[in-house]
Amino acid sequence: MKVTPKVNLIRYTADPEATVALAAKLCYSDRELPELTEHIMEKDNSAFISKLTDMGHLSPIEHASFTFSIEGVSRAFLAQITRHRIASFSVRSQRYVSEDSFNFVVPPAIEELGGAAVARFLGQMDTIMDWYRDWQSALGRGEKSNEDARFILPNACETKMIVTMNARELMHFFELRCCNRAQWEIRAVAWLMFGEVIKVAPNLFRDCGPACLHGACPEGNKSCGKPDEVKKMRDELFKNIKKG
């Protein structure tokens, strides 16, 4: 069955902006921690968080972490997101979990070709499922058969995962992966993740997004040339949160 990305923020540091503010102010305050904590929790920290990010004082931001469930993505996506090494990943195993009726991702470029092309792709997925089941049967089924039968599976095969990143790494992730030059699937997931975190920490992530939003595009002559469209997309996410 064809699937599309689904992202949920399932856990995060309690009051992430206050946690970041506490960590930053501790560096310069002579107050005892209980007093400082009470002071931080009683006030609005939005202006201080904005000042902190404007200054580039980002180490305190690492104290806030966010955990996402991600599904409806391909094994090709898995290869890309795990390049972000300052993160934790737990991924559904193709060794312990049978893929004899696997879901899959259809690339947009194939969908744009129309019905005949999509039908051809779906038929190929069905063929691969048959090949996979054939190897499972030949290998005796069970964990050992899954282990080797999976070598026939395509990059399109769906996977599910839990991903945790701290806020500073998320900023870096959004800078790289929300860019129009990023591969389409990880870009789509990055924007979904961005939409989730700004619901709970809008001040922390207010200026996040591709590098072109803060200056010249680092892609040079390979730039998409659409920074205004990207900024509009980001602004729309914040507008939707305020409406909600």
Side-chain angles (χ1 to χ4, degrees), residues 120-211:
R120 180 183 173 192
F121 187 87
L122 298 183
Q124 290 169 342
M125 293 299 104
D126 286 341
T127 297
I128 293 173
M129 283 185 206
D130 288 339
W131 290 344
Y132 176 80
R133 292 170 189 145
D134 181 54
W135 280 115
Q136 276 188 314
S137 179
L139 293 165
R141 291 196 168 269
E143 175 189 328
K144 292 299 292 182
S145 67
N146 292 344
E147 184 174 66
D148 291 338
R150 64 181 168 172
F151 278 75
I152 205 74
L153 293 171
N155 270 339
C157 186
E158 184 203 17
T159 193
K160 304 175 191 289
M161 66 189 75
I162 302 295
V163 178
T164 301
M165 295 186 189
N166 69 49
R168 188 176 187 178
E169 176 59 16
L170 275 171
M171 290 176 174
H172 175 64
F173 179 77
F174 295 145
E175 181 177 326
L176 296 180
R177 301 301 188 170
C178 288
C179 172
N180 281 342
R181 288 279 299 161
Q183 187 263 353
W184 60 266
E185 190 176 19
I186 198 167
R187 182 173 71 245
V189 171
W191 279 107
L192 290 173
M193 291 168 66
F194 183 70
E196 287 290 288
V197 296
I198 63 174
K199 294 174 185 176
V200 298
N203 298 297
L204 203 53
F205 295 100
R206 68 180 175 88
D207 289 327
C208 288

Side-chain angles (χ1 to χ4, degrees), residues 86-117:
I86 306 177
S88 299
F89 304 94
S90 295
V91 183
R92 188 175 70 178
S93 171
Q94 287 185 331
R95 181 184 185 191
Y96 295 102
V97 180
S98 174
E99 298 281 12
D100 59 350
S101 296
F102 65 85
N103 295 327
F104 50 84
V105 175
V106 181
I110 291 178
E111 294 203 276
E112 288 172 6
L113 293 175

Side-chain angles (χ1 to χ4, degrees), residues 12 22 27 37 53-54 57 61 66 103 158 168 176 210 213 244:
Y12 56 92
L22 175 62
C27 299
T37 300
T53 54
D54 288 343
H57 186 191
I61 291 172
F66 301 81
N103 295 327
E158 184 203 17
R168 188 176 187 178
L176 296 180
L213 298 181

